[in-house]
Amino acid sequence: MTAPDPAPAPDPAGAPALPHAAPPLPGRAVIRQRWNHFVFLHWRVDPERIAPLLPAGTRPDPFDGSAWVGLIPFVLSEHAFLPLPPVPGFGTFVEINVRTYAVDEAGNRSVVFCSLDAEPLPSVMAAQALFGLPYRWARAGQRIVDGTIEYRSRRRRGPRLDSRMRALVSDAPVASQTPLAPDSVPDARGASTRILARPLPRPVDTELSRFLTDRWGFHETRLGRTIYARNRHEPWPLVEAELLALDDGLLAAAGFPELALRAPDSVLATPLDHPGLLTEFAAARPVAPPQ
């Protein structure tokens, strides 16, 4: 299953273009991580579908008239709370997130996470405590064989670890807006995914690929307030990728049950032999409420 990486023009009414290189952080870095072995799967959706998911004071950030929802697995390692060295026990682990994109009144363009699935419970709880991120505790793994990369994850049926309650993200079975095959919408507490892709030796640098990856920050709701946290790393070494298999319930659990039933509108990856991106985060800052 393959999909092209279209490159239509961005919406002229949107925020200023995203810089391809990360701007300086607004203050010292407080967290450092290494990110590696990304697969970026993205689907077009109506902007009205994602508006209820966004933190207060933000709005959908469209490209070519569409909002975009991503299913993105990668490997996280070398986690450190600066200026301390990497934390023993945090180790190397798979994270798989479902996300979309927003912009606030100040023009800060961002990732908004619908969910983040990861294995190590201390890491999951620390990220939730620091940023209020909607982490789910999951059993997750990765395998690289003959130029292909496979990710698998299944949520553990434990208590919720995030405090945010959004209309389309819950622990109840998700009601479909479109006909679905039997058993294709799992209970969110046991949601699973399998992603098999082949990165190709063809670099990608288009307006769309930059829009989907050069975000440099995230918005989140924490303690009833919208926050914005910036990050920095080297520019993405993106390549085309072929999606070989997808058996996913994470998109449905996030409120998008129909997406995994059709091919993504964009499939990208980072090269398998790339050493990964060393990424730093500044402390989150509150977003001014709309006037």
Side-chain angles (χ1 to χ4, degrees), residues 2-10 40-44 63-64 66-68 204-212 238 240-241 262-268:
T2 60
D5 182 21
F40 294 93
L41 308 179
H42 281 94
W43 290 261
R44 292 175 177 268
F63 186 97
D64 190 37
S66 296
W68 294 76
V204 175
D205 184 7
T206 66
E207 289 180 336
L208 178 59
S209 70
R210 292 189 177 196
F211 174 87
L212 297 173
L238 297 174
E240 293 181 14
R262 61 179 174 88
D265 297 293
S266 173
V267 182
L268 301 169

Side-chain angles (χ1 to χ4, degrees), residues 231-287:
N231 65 41
R232 67 182 177 195
H233 55 72
E234 66 181 84
W236 290 101
L238 297 174
V239 296
E240 293 181 14
E242 180 183 9
L243 180 61
L244 303 175
L246 177 64
D247 182 7
D248 176 73
L250 302 185
L251 290 164
F256 303 98
E258 78 284 4
L259 295 187
L261 302 180
R262 61 179 174 88
D265 297 293
S266 173
V267 182
L268 301 169
T270 54
L272 294 180
D273 60 354
H274 192 273
L277 305 175
L278 198 61
T279 305
E280 295 182 334
F281 286 85
R285 301 185 175 191
V287 172

Side-chain angles (χ1 to χ4, degrees), residues 80-133:
F81 295 100
L82 300 176
L84 300 174
V87 179
F90 274 48
T92 299
F93 59 90
V94 168
E95 180 177 306
I96 303 176
N97 63 65
V98 177
R99 73 190 205 187
T100 188
Y101 305 105
V103 59
D104 65 23
E105 296 300 322
N108 296 311
R109 304 175 78 174
S110 69
V111 169
V112 174
F113 295 103
C114 300
S115 63
L116 306 95
D117 287 48
E119 173 101 25
L121 187 58
S123 301
V124 168
M125 296 181 70
Q128 199 284 321
L130 285 172
F131 296 118
L133 290 169

Side-chain angles (χ1 to χ4, degrees), residues 36-47:
N36 206 354
H37 293 159
F38 274 81
V39 177
F40 294 93
L41 308 179
H42 281 94
W43 290 261
R44 292 175 177 268
V45 299
D46 189 319

